[in-house]
Amino acid sequence: MPKGFFNVPKAVNEPVKSYAPNSPEKAAVLAAYKKMWNETIDVPMYIGKEEVRTGKTQKMSAPHDHQHSVGAYHVAEKKHIESAIEIALESRKKWSQIPWEHRAAIFLKAAELVAGPYRARINAATMIAQSKTIYQAEIDASCELIDFLRYNVQFMTQIYNDQPASNSDVWNKVEYRPLEGFVYAITPFNFTAIAGNLPASAALMGNVVVWKPAASQVFSANILMQIFKEAGLPDGVINMVMGDSAMISEVILSNTHLAGVHFTGSTSVFNSIWSKIGTNISHYKTYPRIVGETGGKDFIVAHPSANVKQVVTGITRGAFEFQGQKCSAASRAYIPQSMWPAAKEQLITDVKSMKMGSPEDFGNFVTAVITETSFDKLAKYIDQAKKDSDAEIIIGGTYDKSKGYFIDPTVIVTTNPKYATMETELFGPVITIYVYEDAKWAETLKLVDETSEYALTGAIFSQDRYATVEATKALENAAGNFYINDKPTGAVVGMQPFGGARGSGTNDKAGSMQNLLRWASVRTIKETFITPEDYRYPFLGE
């Protein structure tokens, strides 16, 4: 593709709306929330041109009011997954050949649909089904999703423009072909934007997709499919299926045409997928691309020179926004002894001021965790901390699931740097703090690096540049996204490509060209203009 052949709109990050009192966006999202809350939505599977309803359904409810049903979704049998694969492969014949600018136009239109007519609906759905506050829904389901869709088009054009050198008698080109087969996209509950991006990024590059959203995110996933369809995405390019995860993965991972897996979820599930692919490796037509972003035990480390209020704000926002259910959420912190009295006082004051309840009330900073399973796991660790001699809960530690799955923001202080909640991913509004001796800064950095199997995000707070350099180097492999004087959450597409290594995934950086390259198979083409007609080289002489 010649440079500048098409004038693709330059990607810009979508501004975050304020939802201030009396603002039009607040009125719009509350109206959408009330409408959806009082409806009973029936969500089909989307397989090719069909909306498939099997009659076997699962209830959808809001985590902050789990007795209230907002609808149900239909679940697949084995034959439906097989059909989705067959239809995807048939759709590939046309989709893989469509000019790239037409694929781009579809997803750019999808971005504008999210930014405009669908904004209130997608935000409200995320508030209801995933219990996000309006701010968390806005930065996820609207802004980040829009950014993914816009920037991916820009990244694609940059990739296509990367061409090899040629000379007067040889023209060299590379084609960025879609993968030969289909891509299996598995998406999590916690980000509507990720649910949209994982299938869309692969499809943008010309691939076809079988997509399984998380059960607790189907409510908003349904709207994503409606957006893709209204944007003009042809039937069969992205096929959305729901049901038993083990059955779906078994059928898909045993198919000879599996070309890739795009995954966000738990480390254990990703490991099992990788293992099954390894077992089946000789069965596939091509080596499947495996891209995964998994768990995290994300840290905050404060140097004695750090600003106390900045550190505490980093902890409260990093640990408790969206109830600590971000892959990047802070769940362990290391505070110097000299700072701890002031930090402790400020932390308790801030947490006490947080309001908890339904996201419909814009005064609430935290809401409910996603499921009863999550609630029970968190309650178990909190109860154990109350019993252990090397742990103390200084704020929070209470919970109630009578109406919704509510866990109060909880701060545990431990004298054991390897305490269970310093090492185990909890995925909830619980952070554990270890207070270290000021003189043991270097030793503490080593401890941070060695404590967790994960390496997703981490943050340091320091006003000492030498200490900042030391920490940045010492923690080089401890986090794929590393923050200096900021919380370890909130990566922005096009600014902070996201992903981690070790037990946190393949670090293929969502929101960057690196990720899109994983969904292309490069073909090099050499065209010679004056072709030799004699095998003899000059060195052979006469």
Side-chain angles (χ1 to χ4, degrees):
M1 182 191 72
K3 289 182 182 293
F5 188 72
F6 291 101
N7 185 22
V8 175
K10 180 176 174 58
V12 293
N13 293 99
E14 179 67 12
V16 179
K17 292 186 180 293
S18 72
Y19 296 88
N22 302 317
S23 64
E25 61 266 23
K26 179 176 181 179
V29 79
L30 286 176
Y33 185 101
K34 287 181 171 65
K35 185 176 185 295
M36 289 182 177
W37 187 261
N38 293 317
E39 292 177 339
T40 301
I41 297 174
D42 180 63
V43 181
M45 293 181 287
Y46 294 89
I47 301 176
K49 65 180 180 180
E50 303 293 333
E51 294 185 2
V52 179
R53 292 174 169 85
T54 62
K56 183 179 179 182
T57 61
Q58 290 289 332
K59 173 186 170 184
M60 296 183 294
S61 59
H64 50 279
D65 189 352
H66 51 66
Q67 294 302 310
H68 180 75
S69 174
V70 293
Y73 64 87
H74 293 258
V75 300
E77 298 175 11
K78 181 180 178 181
K79 64 182 181 181
H80 299 112
I81 308 306
E82 292 170 341
S83 174
I85 295 170
E86 291 173 9
I87 289 171
L89 292 171
E90 183 63 27
S91 300
R92 184 186 183 279
K93 294 174 183 177
K94 286 187 176 180
W95 181 248
S96 65
Q97 299 304 308
I98 192 173
W100 69 267
E101 65 270 19
H102 291 279
R103 299 197 307 267
I106 290 169
F107 290 104
L108 288 174
K109 181 175 180 178
E112 294 312 299
L113 289 170
V114 178
Y118 278 87
R119 193 182 202 117
R121 287 179 59 196
I122 196 71
N123 281 349
T126 301
M127 292 165 70
I128 290 171
Q130 291 135 276
S131 283
K132 288 201 171 188
T133 64
I134 180 53
Y135 178 74
Q136 294 300 314
E138 167 74 5
I139 62 175
D140 163 27
S142 288
C143 297
E144 186 173 17
L145 177 57
I146 294 165
D147 291 350
F148 273 132
L149 295 169
R150 288 175 178 165
Y151 272 95
N152 281 346
V153 169
Q154 181 171 300
F155 296 145
M156 178 180 68
T157 61
Q158 291 171 348
I159 289 169
Y160 288 172
N161 270 318
D162 186 8
Q163 295 292 324
S166 299
N167 54 39
S168 61
D169 63 337
V170 173
W171 188 6
N172 300 307
K173 303 182 286 288
V174 292
E175 287 183 350
Y176 295 89
R177 302 168 298 175
L179 305 182
E180 190 177 9
F182 70 96
V183 172
Y184 180 26
I186 308 165
T187 60
F189 79 85
N190 57 342
F191 281 93
T192 302
I194 294 175
N197 181 58
L198 266 57
S201 57
L204 176 66
M205 299 301 288
N207 297 285
V208 291
V209 183
V210 179
W211 169 34
K212 189 193 81 63
S216 47
Q217 192 265 325
V218 170
F219 192 76
S220 52
N222 182 52
I223 298 177
L224 291 173
M225 282 302 299
Q226 293 171 6
I227 292 168
F228 291 150
K229 285 183 173 293
E230 186 169 336
L233 187 70
D235 296 331
V237 174
I238 295 177
N239 303 274
M240 188 177 90
V241 298
M242 294 85 74
D244 179 71
S245 298
M247 180 276 290
I248 293 172
S249 290
E250 181 64 32
V251 173
I252 289 176
L253 299 180
S254 63
N255 190 284
T256 189
H257 296 289
L258 177 70
V261 173
H262 206 183
F263 176 92
T264 296
S266 74
T267 302
S268 60
V269 171
F270 189 57
N271 288 349
S272 70
I273 289 171
W274 198 302
S275 178
K276 288 174 184 175
I277 289 173
T279 300
N280 296 335
I281 199 68
S282 61
H283 177 64
Y284 301 123
K285 189 171 185 177
T286 184
Y287 288 103
R289 304 285 178 88
I290 308 174
V291 174
E293 190 262 292
T294 59
K297 191 64 185 173
D298 309 302
F299 59 82
I300 289 175
V301 186
H303 184 262
S305 67
N307 180 297
V308 175
K309 288 186 177 180
Q310 292 174 1
V311 172
V312 172
T313 300
I315 291 172
T316 51
R317 286 185 171 183
F320 302 134
E321 285 182 327
F322 188 39
Q323 299 75 257
Q325 295 173 121
K326 300 182 182 184
C327 310
S328 55
S331 58
R332 55 184 172 125
Y334 302 79
I335 309 297
Q337 285 181 342
S338 60
M339 181 187 294
W340 179 234
K344 179 181 179 181
E345 181 181 0
Q346 185 67 51
L347 188 56
I348 291 173
T349 299
D350 285 357
V351 174
K352 280 184 176 179
S353 72
M354 292 177 181
K355 296 180 180 179
M356 181 171 65
S358 167
E360 188 178 10
D361 180 349
F362 283 20
N364 290 326
F365 185 77
V366 292
T367 68
V369 297
I370 192 68
T371 61
E372 186 173 19
T373 300
S374 175
F375 177 96
D376 291 344
K377 175 183 176 180
L378 291 162
K380 173 186 170 185
Y381 278 95
I382 289 171
D383 287 346
Q384 188 61 47
K386 293 174 181 176
K387 300 174 185 176
D388 291 337
S389 60
D390 52 356
E392 177 192 5
I393 295 174
I394 63 168
I395 187 71
T398 53
Y399 47 81
D400 183 355
K401 64 177 178 180
S402 57
K403 181 177 178 64
Y405 303 120
F406 292 106
I407 303 277
D408 283 306
T410 298
V411 179
I412 301 171
V413 179
T414 183
T415 56
N416 175 9
K418 295 296 183 73
Y419 184 68
T421 58
M422 291 291 284
E423 296 183 319
T424 306
E425 183 185 39
L426 301 183
F427 227 62
V430 178
I431 188 167
T432 306
I433 294 174
Y434 175 71
V435 180
Y436 70 91
E437 296 178 28
D438 289 40
K440 293 187 176 180
W441 167 248
E443 294 94 322
T444 300
L445 295 177
K446 187 172 186 295
L447 180 66
V448 173
D449 184 54
E450 295 176 347
T451 293
S452 170
E453 65 178 296
Y454 303 107
L456 189 53
T457 75
I460 61 163
F461 285 81
S462 171
Q463 299 302 316
D464 181 327
R465 182 52 61 174
Y466 290 116
T468 300
V469 171
E470 181 183 5
T472 302
K473 187 63 179 176
L475 300 172
E476 178 181 8
N477 295 307
N481 279 55
F482 187 74
Y483 298 80
I484 300 171
N485 293 324
D486 202 355
K487 60 185 173 65
T489 65
V492 177
V493 176
M495 295 187 180
Q496 298 98 29
F498 188 78
R502 293 182 179 169
S504 292
T506 57
N507 203 20
D508 285 295
K509 295 300 185 191
S512 73
M513 283 192 297
Q514 291 97 309
N515 185 277
L516 291 191
L517 278 167
R518 298 288 281 151
W519 311 117
S521 179
V522 179
R523 178 168 75 148
T524 301
I525 299 174
K526 173 188 176 183
E527 182 175 354
T528 300
F529 297 136
I530 305 298
T531 305
E533 297 181 358
D534 189 335
Y535 82 88
R536 297 173 182 84
Y537 292 101
F539 78 88
L540 293 172
E542 296 294 332

